[in-house]
Every structure is written in C-alpha cells, then in structure tokens.
Amino acid sequence: MKIAFFTEGGYQGKVPKNNPNMRTDMAWVYALDADHYPIYLIGQLPSNSYDLGIAILPKIKDKIRNLDVAKEINRICKVSSVMQESNYFMWQDESIEDQIWYLNTLSGVDFMFTHNNIDQQYYNGLLNKPCEKLPSVMVTDFIKTSDDKKDAVIIGGNLVAAYRGIDSYMVARELDLPIYAISSGRKKLGEESLGIKHIPWTTWIGWMEELSKFKYGVQFGIGGAGSFNLNCAYLGIPCIGLKELESQRLCFPDLSIGDVDLKKGKELILKLQNDKDFYNHCSNTARILYEKHFAVDKFYHTIENIYKKYSNGN
C-alpha cells in the first residue's frame, strides 16, 4: 500500500527514523512508510500515484484557499481522506469563506480521519459520511530520559481555550508545587504572573527528555491528538485529563474525569501525592496500556484495514 500525506510541512519525501522532531504528524508518516508533500504543491503530482492519500489542512489557508484539495487527492490517490487538525470545533473561528472551503473539502473526500470518539461522532453527524480514527503514535527508538526528577507538575498547554489551560492550572495548584507549562505558539503574555514556568522551545526528542523530569501531569484540552497524555503514559507519569481523549482514557483509566468535573480532578491529584501505592499503580498501568493500545508495530495494520474498507479490494 502506497500512502501519501499532504500537510503544511515544507519537506518532501520520507521521514527518517532518527528525525529529532518526530511529533505526531511526522510519526504517522514514518510509521506508514508514507511519502510527504507540501499541500500547496498537490497540483503538481501525477495522477493515480498512490493508494491512500491523507491531507492535514493548515489553520492558515492563504496558500491553499484557491486549491480544490479534495479533487486533487481523488486524482492522485485511489482512496482519499482528510485528517482532523486541532480539536473538532477550532475551525469555526476562521472566516466564513474558510469555513465553507473547509466543509466543501471534507465533503469531497471518501472519508475523514479523526482523533477521538467525540471527534468521530461530531464529524460523522456534521458531514453525514463515515469517519475513522487515526490513532496517535510515537516513535520511541531515540528517546532519552532524565534522572533529574522534579517534584513538580507540568500542564499540557498554555492558558487558552483549546488547551483548557486555566482548568489544568487550577487543578495543578492543589499540590502547592512548582507548575510548568509548554511553550506553544498560543502562549499568552502574563502566564508567568501566575507562577507558571515554561519549558523552552526544543526538538521533540528534547521535549521528551524534559518531560521525563516531572512527577505529575495535567491536561484538560478536549479533542486533538492527545500527544501530551500519550507522552506521559509512555514515561509513566500519572496524568489527569478528560475521558473524551483516547490516549487519556485508554492509558489512565483511574485518572480520567468528565468534561466539567474539576473537583474530581483536584481529589485525584491530591491522592497521587498522598497515596504512594495509587501513584505507582497509575504509573505502571500507564506504561502497560501504552504498549497495548499505541505500540507502533500495530499501527500500520490498523490503517491497512481501514484502507481495505474503502478501496473495495482494488
């Protein structure tokens, strides 16, 4: 099966296993032995080149607004799909023109890939067409961990709605420990005034080493790839988060709460601090469940079976 990804990334070709920036989107390309193309060059590819095409549409559409992405993927690939970007509702902050363009593009492909059950349910109802889950995946061969452990909490996002950062912060501060956050493009001026320290920008490999230093994680972002929660599970860092997120629900069943149940989140983080057996149980269970549900060797077969479903054996 020949697979092509089309994203806003500026590189072309394969992703090498030792790529230091092996975030989720690149890990997908590597794990599927796919070819990657910048999406704005999609019109230059020859017809009937690939079996499966997956487009990840950028948030800023200046370079592709005049492209019929769905038509081009259908021309190039036997089976066409679009992968959800960010959480399921973020696209509604775009201009009306771009919202309509987005819906037209989704409607023009064979099916849509989503991250989580909640996303699958939403887009299936929105589009009246099939949606499949594209599991998050990690390429772990070159990860280094640190022996320099901090008795501190890290929240998986900045203080914006998409990350539910203030909710994560309010739960994290129950422990009266230092609180750290990532440095994303959505980092807000003034987060430091709340006592939040930030992990400097680094490669994904560097990020994993930094993350391995922490004892507790909190991430209440709804929807999306759930990579922070998955990273914590691989490292055995107990993470409190929302049960709507696949990586959270599957890897941290004892630490997954309902969308608005912050009181339960506060109870759980205190239990992690005060009950060593509970902490160790959540840590060890997360590592086991990560291997069970997200190991990279199972990923290709999952996508292969989805492709067969839409290719009708061709």
Side-chain angles (χ1 to χ4, degrees), residues 23-38:
R23 303 174 308 170
T24 301
D25 55 333
M26 286 193 171
W28 281 330
V29 177
Y30 169 79
L32 295 174
D33 191 30
D35 293 324
H36 176 274
Y37 298 94

Side-chain angles (χ1 to χ4, degrees), residues 108-154:
V109 295
D110 294 320
F111 70 96
M112 183 171 179
F113 272 121
T114 64
H115 290 295
N116 306 287
N117 286 336
I118 188 172
D119 308 314
Q120 188 178 31
Q121 182 180 13
Y122 170 78
Y123 279 107
N124 180 261
L126 182 72
L127 303 171
N128 293 325
K129 70 186 314 173
C131 298
E132 305 287 347
K133 284 185 291 186
L134 184 65
S136 294
V137 69
M138 292 171 57
V139 180
T140 61
D141 302 65
F142 296 93
I143 289 177
K144 298 178 181 178
T145 58
S146 174
D147 294 328
D148 178 21
K149 301 298 182 183
K150 300 177 182 179
D151 195 15
V153 191
I154 183 164

Side-chain angles (χ1 to χ4, degrees), residues 163-175:
Y163 285 125
R164 298 277 294 273
I166 197 70
D167 295 340
S168 300
Y169 169 79
M170 293 300 290
V171 169
R173 70 197 293 265
E174 287 291 301
L175 295 189

Side-chain angles (χ1 to χ4, degrees), residues 189-202:
L189 185 66
E191 289 185 4
E192 293 85 354
S193 67
L194 296 176
I196 297 174
K197 302 177 182 180
H198 293 89
I199 304 296
W201 285 95
T202 183

Side-chain angles (χ1 to χ4, degrees), residues 204-266:
W204 183 78
I205 289 293
W207 153 250
M208 289 298 291
E209 185 171 2
E210 285 298 315
L211 180 60
S212 72
K213 299 175 182 179
F214 289 88
K215 193 170 182 180
Y216 310 95
V218 184
Q219 161 64 302
F220 287 148
I222 188 165
S227 55
F228 176 85
N229 315 63
L230 190 64
N231 296 164
C232 285
Y234 171 80
L235 294 168
I237 301 170
C239 179
I240 297 172
L242 301 183
K243 63 184 179 182
E244 287 82 5
L245 206 64
E246 295 285 292
S247 57
Q248 174 68 31
R249 177 178 59 84
L250 293 175
C251 294
F252 297 104
D254 300 298
L255 300 176
S256 300
I257 66 173
D259 189 6
V260 295
D261 198 358
L262 298 188
K263 183 177 180 181
K264 181 66 173 178
K266 293 178 178 181

